[in-house]
Amino acid sequence: MTFLEKITGSDMTKEMKGFETRAKILPAEYQITWKEITSNLWIHGDFTGRNLLPIFESVLELLEVTSADAQSVEEVLGDDIEGFCAALVGDDGAKTYRDKWRDQLNKNVARKLGGQK
């Protein structure tokens, strides 16, 4: 990253456009969820928003993998997208949601390993 890119934020613009391109390939349900997640996460950004880029990358990878496994968004993230985003950035009150999400994830993994559908 050059000094000019860092000052203007053009590096972030390129990366976000890449994320949006990847998100357009997802099924419609996942695209809607991606937009909701990005809008909820931006409020947690620092002055530049660079702290959120790794989180966006991870969330998009999660959505890509789960859509390839033909899971529904609710099955993976639950009903509370705002709570999911708060858990990602470590906001106050997120611990209880994180525990709920961890339990849900453990159930999904156990179901997959057990061969149940």
Side-chain angles (χ1 to χ4, degrees):
M1 167 179 14
T2 67
F3 178 73
L4 184 60
E5 287 176 330
K6 192 170 189 173
I7 296 298
T8 62
S10 64
D11 60 318
M12 288 181 53
T13 303
K14 289 178 191 175
E15 199 159 348
M16 286 308 295
K17 284 183 181 179
F19 292 154
E20 293 302 324
T21 302
R22 288 170 52 193
K24 286 181 182 176
I25 299 170
L26 296 171
E29 176 186 25
Y30 282 86
Q31 289 180 27
I32 293 167
T33 302
W34 169 253
K35 288 179 184 178
E36 190 175 344
I37 288 172
T38 55
S39 66
N40 279 302
L41 282 178
W42 278 118
I43 61 173
H44 299 287
D46 60 7
F47 179 70
T48 63
R50 277 187 172 74
N51 66 320
L52 296 176
L53 292 179
I55 296 172
F56 286 135
E57 174 71 29
S58 298
V59 169
L60 188 56
E61 284 179 17
L62 174 68
L63 293 176
E64 289 170 336
V65 168
T66 55
S67 71
D69 288 343
Q71 291 180 309
S72 71
V73 173
E74 291 81 21
E75 191 176 18
V76 178
L77 303 180
D79 296 335
D80 185 14
I81 299 298
E82 287 183 32
F84 174 77
C85 293
L88 286 174
V89 295
D91 256 7
D92 291 337
K95 187 175 187 320
T96 56
Y97 184 81
R98 186 179 295 141
D99 292 340
K100 177 184 170 192
W101 185 68
R102 183 180 294 125
D103 291 342
Q104 188 175 17
L105 181 63
N106 287 338
K107 287 177 187 175
N108 287 341
V109 169
R111 185 175 48 101
K112 287 282 187 177
L113 291 176
Q116 301 170 353
K117 290 208 176 199

